[in-house]
Every structure is written in C-alpha cells, then in structure tokens.
Amino acid sequence: MSVAINQGGESTMIQLSGDIGIAIAGDLKATLLDALKSGREVRVSLDGVTALDVTAFQLLWSAQREAVKKGLKFALTPESREPFKSLLQCMGLDGSLAR
Amino acid sequence: MIQTASNNAEQFKQSFREEAREILADLESALLELNENRGDQELVGRVFRGLHTIKGSGAMFGFEQLAAFTHDLETAYDLVRNGRLETSSDLIDLTLSALDQIRAMLREGENGAPPAEATEFQHILDRVRKLAGLVAPVAPADSNADLGGTHPTSVEGLENWRIHFAPGPDLMRCGANPALLLRELGQLGSLSVTADVDAIPPLPCLDPERCYIAWDLELKTGASRNAIRDVFIFVEDCCDLKIEPANGLVAALPVVTDHEETAKTLVDPRSPRGGRREHDSPDTASSIRVAAAKLDRFVNLVGELVTVQARLSELAATHDDAEVRAVAEEVERLASALRDNSMDMRMMPIRGTFEKFRRLVHDLARSLGKQVELSIEGAETELDKSVIDQLNDPLMHLIRNSMDHGIGSPEERVARGKPAQASIRLAARHAGASVLISVSDDGRGIDSEAVRAKAIEKGLIGPDAALTEAETYALLFQPGFSTAKEVTDISGRGVGMDVVRRNIDNLRGSIEVTSKDFVGTTVTLRLPLTLAIIDGLLVTIGEAFYVLPLSNTLECIELSRDEIDSANGKHLINVRGEAVPYIRLRERFEVHNAPPPFEQVMLVDTEEGRYGLVVDSVLGNCQTMIKSLGRAYRHVQTISGATILGNGTVALILDPQRLVEESIFAARPQVRGHPGVPERNGAAGAPA
C-alpha cells in the first residue's frame, strides 16, 4: 500500500495503490492536506488500488469538500472505479463523491 | 511509516491468533459438553457465537480462507439453534476436526509455518455441507461479493427491520470494518442503505482512524432478530445499534436498545474483541492481557529490588541511626509487599490445563472403544505460570497410561460388576507451600507382581528383593520400564512415565502412586507453587556460599574429623544404626583450604535413597529468588541456579539429586540400570 504525490504542472497528482485503509490513513490525510495547500487542481488516481475502507472514503470526501471551499478542482481518476464503486454502493454512498 | 503500518498489521494478526486460540479452547469445551447434553440450547448458542466471532474477525484480519471455512460451520449451527438440524455425534466430531483445521490455519505464516493441508480442509467442508444439507456452496465473506446474496436460513415469511448503526470513536481502531458488516447484513436479505455523512469534519480536524458515518438501514429478511444482531456481535460495545421491526404485525414488540437485549437474551455473553472473556469467578470486573515476557521482566526487577533492599537492611543494622533504620524497615515492608504481589500476578488457575484434557479423553475413548468420563476438581487452584507450562506433558502421559492400561473395555468392566463407563478424575489442591495434583482412575489397578517380574527381568532388582508397595510402584518410572503386553499408539514403550518423572524432578516435585487391584490407581504429584522462589538452607563450603533446597533436606548431623578418620576412607556415617553414604562437597568442588574441625552432613532424600552432603557450616534458613545461570552454564547439572544474598554475594543453588547421581556414576559407571546420567533439558532456574 502506498500514497505518492507528484506536484508538477497545473495539477497535483496523488497516486494510491494497494490496500488503502486505516493502516495508511494518517499518510493519506497528510498528503491530501499538502496537495490542497498547493492551490492547484488535485487529482487522485485509484489505479492500482486493491481495496478501500470507510476511512479512505471519509478522507477523500472531506478533501473534496475542502477543495470546493478553496475553489479548487478535485477529481478521482481511475480507469475503473472498482473497488471504490463497490465500497460506495455497499455503504449507501454512491453519488456522494463527484467523479 | 509504511513499514510501521506493515508491522502493525502483523501485530494485529498475531493478536487475532491469540484470541482465536482462546475462543477455540472455549469452543472445544462447549462441544464436549454438548456431546453429553445434546439438547442444551445455551451450549449450541455458545458454539454458534464462537464460530461467528472467529469468522467475523478472521475476515477482518486477512484470514479469508479461515473465514470461508468457518462460515459453513456457522451455518450448520445456525440451523441447529433454529431446530432445523440435529446435534448428532457426527456433527460434533466433524466440528472438533474442523477446530483442528482452524488451528492449522492459524499457524500458517506464523514463524514460517507452512500452509494447512488443503485436501483435509476441503474434505471437512464437503462433509459439513452434506450434513447441513447445503448442497450448493455458500458464498464466503468476500469484499467483492454483491449484496443480497444467499442467506443461511429460509424461514417462511419475510419481515421488515429498521436498523440504525452508528460506529463509536474506537470501532475502526478495534479492527472492525463497517463495510464488511454491511455486506454481511446484506446476505440476510434485501438491504437498503442510507448513509449519514453530516458528522464528517473538515479535513484538518478529521481523525483518520475514526468512523464518522452512521447508517440507517432497512432489511427485508426471513432471518430472526438474533441473526441480525449477530452480525454486529463483534462490535456491539463499540457502536450505537438499534434493531426494530418496521411492519405493523410485530410492532407490538417493545422497542429495545441493543444493551437491554444483551442483558435479556445472552446467557453466556461473549465480549467483543478486546480479549475479555467471562469466567466463573465473580470478580472479573476488568482485566488486561499482558505478554508473559513483560511479566517475567517485571518479576525479575522486583527480585533485584528485594535483593538490594536486603543489603540496605544489613547496612542499616550496622549504623547507629534510627532514621536510616526506620526508612530501611519501611523499604523492607514495601519490597516484601511488592514481591508478594508480583508473585501473585504469575499465579494462574490450573483450569486451562485441565480442560484441555477433555478433548484427549474424548478422542482416546473413541479410538480405544472405551467409555470414559473425565471429572475435574479444584480447577481454580492457582500455580505459578512456569509450573503450569511444564505440567502438560506429564499429565498427558499419565492420562494416556490410565486410559490404555488402567481402564478396561466396557465388557470387562461389566463382567467385574463395574459400570461400563469408567471415570478419570483430575484434581488439584493446595497443601501448605505445595500443590497436589492427582490423576485417579477406577480401572484395573497396578499389577504389583507383573511390575516385580519385569523389574527382575530387567535386572533392576534381585529375585529375592523385598520391596514395599511404594518402592514397587517407583520402578514404573525407570527409563524403558513397561509391563505392557503390547505397544499401542497410545503407550507401552516405557517412555511416558520416565518423562513424567524427569519433568516432575525438573519442577522440584515428587510423585506418589497408590493402587488397589480392580479398584483403581491414583498418581499424585506434589509440586512447588512457584519455581521463582526457593526455601533453602544457606551453607558454606570453603569461602563460597551455597543454598540447599529445604524440600530435599531431612536433617543435619555433625561430622567430626575422628569419624572421618575412623571410616578408613569409606564415606559412610552411622545414622541411628543405618550406614548412610555421604559425598564430601569439598572434594567434589575441589576446595583445598583446611576444613573446619566439625563439618555438617546434610541428609537429603533422593531417588537413590538417603545420602549425606558434607558442607563446612550451616548458616540458617533462607528464602530467595532463583536466578538462572544462563545458557553458558546449562550443562552444569549439579547447580540448579543462583541467588544474590543480602550482602551482594552470589550463592549457587545445589541440586542434591544430580549431585548424588553423578557421584554414583563416577564411582560405578557400569552399574546396571544406570546407563549414565543423562542431561536434562536445561536446569530448573528462574523463569527467563
């Protein structure tokens, strides 16, 4: 599991891979806060994510809300939204997080 | 950070393994009780909850195969508790085998252990499904499974339930995963989920390990309220949970919160993961799990403190300062209390060890075609953990011997006017500074004539030797001794009783056997309450101090130079008309300075009979904490440990049995029955 940040160009890309859950939640929070400080569009890539839990969702949801407050764009960029889609559906959160 | 997260994950897994093993022990106990009380619904519920907990937490900690395996077992017992499946001996035996399989799965990956045998796993699963009438495999807990999958029960009629689930602040930290809980709930029927995200705070204030989302759910299912509640059984103390019927038919039922329902319906409440379990004793308000190694370190430090305190007391006694003496006395009082408390922490009831043997007796009885009931007395008797750890093998050998040789077949017993079902009794009780543990059976008794004949055949005794009953039974503990007509898988090689003797010796204990023909046999082990402290006599040999265990010492006799000279080189002393051999420890330890005019012969009781150990002087009684000599000296068998005296001097603790054995071997190495003095596996010292 890993969280990597790439700040270059017009957007900040956060690359997530592996199991994104409570074990890495602290790192993910710190990375999202750093990304939002940059003032650039934030794109979070879910490519390579094998599993997500509710803590990951909460962080992404809260980061999106923070981005909106700052007037920044915030987007998830996977090729497929699985397993994120399954998580959202299972937990009644489908539609809560904008694509 | 990633490495730390990975280490944490492994730590959680190990924590799960420990707790799962506790649950498995309880499950095994419940199944064996259920075997005797087939209709007991409380026991069925206990088994179901145990399997449910293992399944749920197994999935959460990455033991997916284990969770899948347990799922079908859980299904079977759900059918049992709903009256749809009988509690047959086949089901119980199969479940016991399944528990063994789960243990094997828990060992996977632990300290490099290989994966569990897959064919056995599948074989058990197929038999469970066949017994439970689960023709199609039931989908295991899988994060990618759709909601609303097959549900285990199909009760006629569906009901609507309204469920409110709000995780508490620590639910995620406890290892629970709300997504898995919701998936599991979805397997019970048609589930509609509404999430409330309003409580998620701004990102800078968000605690990443806490779940802020709450859910309102509507479930249409044929499952019972209990089945719904069971989904959350693992987290019920970490969340706010409300389950209420949504349709008018059952609206008359009082709406209860989960805590009230817990009090009303749970007879044997299983606490959530956190390691707390219900015990029989009333004062189990709270307890915490502490690693044994940490406790050992703590006890060691307390021992060091007590040693330094003894030095302080000695120094204070030599100073004419009332204030210093008063402080030294206070420190002595506190150190003594601390030592007693720390020793008490290591004390554990022997229940856990005793209960393990129910499974052994059950399995052996089946394989030998005998009927045996195991009864247990004094399970709450407490001993030091280090003593309990070493009791498993000796007790196992004694029980196996009893079942194989002592107890006859049901037909043989009935022919003798006894009940077909034999009984074995395991009992424990305190007796002063010792604990007595006995294994009794109502079998054939020991054939003294057969024992004597075998001893003569092996050359252990002469044909005309006159032995007391106790001396005859003691022969059973000689290496390789067995009167068994055939060697079975269970016993008969003459290895088991020798192991018993050596293990009990290592524990500084003793064994007594009583038996009556066709009535039964009792083997009683007398053991110290703790290995960490020794009651001894402080003696000197040359300039050095030694401690002689009081448990072996019979009396002290003065030995003059005249008596030594008049013995003409024979090391024998006249004790009330009996010639008792003695060992001069000055010679043994090569002490060359001049001995005192009067030396002391410490008469000790050993397996070779009474012997004397000659020392320079006896300073008095002492009670000391034993320190292990460590690996460097593990081959020094005649010294069982060391202790630090009040003046800071180190005193070595003598092992009288080994001293006598080595002297006999050194004098006559070719004596029959004494092939050599084999080394024990480590001396008995303080716990590591």
Side-chain angles (χ1 to χ4, degrees), chain B residues 367-669:
Chain B
S367 67
L368 293 170
K370 296 177 182 175
Q371 297 171 28
V372 183
E373 186 199 9
L374 177 69
S375 63
I376 289 173
E377 288 174 23
E380 297 308 315
T381 305
E382 291 190 340
L383 294 85
D384 190 295
K385 182 183 178 305
S386 53
V387 176
I388 289 181
D389 287 346
Q390 297 188 54
L391 273 180
N392 195 67
D393 277 356
L395 289 177
M396 182 187 65
H397 285 299
L398 289 173
I399 290 174
R400 287 170 85 104
N401 240 44
S402 182
M403 293 199 63
D404 203 14
H405 302 306
I407 290 173
S409 66
E411 297 75 26
E412 182 188 326
R413 289 177 60 86
V414 167
R416 290 214 168 264
K418 287 182 168 181
Q421 185 179 61
S423 71
I424 291 181
R425 188 171 66 101
L426 271 180
R429 64 181 179 89
H430 285 129
S434 304
V435 65
L436 300 181
I437 295 174
S438 61
V439 181
S440 309
D441 66 59
D442 65 348
R444 301 172 181 126
I446 297 174
D447 185 346
S448 305
E449 285 309 311
V451 172
R452 189 187 160 81
K454 181 61 74 172
I456 292 170
E457 181 190 316
K458 283 185 168 290
L460 293 173
I461 57 172
D464 301 323
L467 299 175
T468 63
E469 199 176 67
E471 287 167 341
T472 305
Y473 296 148
L475 293 168
L476 292 168
F477 296 92
Q478 293 296 320
F481 191 99
S482 172
T483 59
K485 293 182 181 56
E486 58 175 316
V487 171
T488 68
D489 286 340
I490 313 295
S491 61
R493 296 182 194 279
V495 170
M497 300 306 272
D498 183 42
V499 168
V500 172
R501 181 180 67 89
R502 287 183 184 281
N503 278 28
I504 301 305
D505 279 350
N506 276 342
L507 290 170
R508 300 200 305 272
S510 62
I511 307 174
E512 183 188 320
V513 179
T514 55
S515 182
K516 204 164 177 188
D517 282 347
F518 309 116
V519 173
T521 302
T522 298
V523 179
T524 304
L525 311 175
R526 178 180 288 267
L527 302 165
L529 284 174
T530 176
L531 293 181
I533 286 184
I534 186 170
D535 283 319
L537 286 168
L538 187 62
V539 302
T540 60
I541 302 169
E543 303 290 325
F545 294 89
Y546 296 85
V547 174
L548 200 56
L550 211 53
S551 56
N552 299 98
T553 309
L554 299 170
E555 59 183 294
C556 175
I557 298 172
E558 207 168 67
L559 181 69
S560 67
R561 289 243 50 90
D562 289 340
E563 280 173 303
I564 295 172
D565 294 339
S566 64
N568 295 321
K570 291 188 178 59
H571 288 179
L572 289 170
I573 186 170
N574 184 348
V575 180
R576 293 181 289 280
E578 182 192 345
V580 176
Y582 62 75
I583 299 162
R584 297 201 72 226
L585 293 178
R586 275 184 155 264
E587 292 171 14
R588 177 70 180 75
F589 296 148
E590 297 180 7
V591 175
H592 299 300
N593 63 352
F598 288 91
E599 292 168 271
Q600 307 297 323
V601 181
M602 311 303 294
L603 281 188
V604 293
D605 189 26
T606 71
E607 288 172 23
E608 279 66 28
R610 287 206 301 173
Y611 272 76
L613 299 175
V614 182
V615 301
D616 285 2
S617 65
V618 179
L619 299 181
N621 285 11
C622 64
Q623 190 183 65
T624 56
M625 293 199 74
I626 304 172
K627 299 275 189 194
S628 170
L629 290 177
R631 290 180 60 82
Y633 298 101
R634 63 184 296 164
H635 300 295
V636 181
Q637 299 278 302
T638 52
I639 304 294
S640 57
T643 186
I644 302 175
L645 303 177
N647 60 7
T649 312
V650 173
L652 298 178
I653 300 170
L654 300 171
D655 186 333
Q657 177 64 37
R658 299 300 287 187
L659 279 166
V660 169
E661 281 178 3
E662 285 198 359
S663 290
I664 292 173
F665 178 67
R668 296 183 293 167

Side-chain angles (χ1 to χ4, degrees), chain B residues 132-143:
Chain B
L134 303 171
V135 176
V138 179
D142 181 345
S143 58

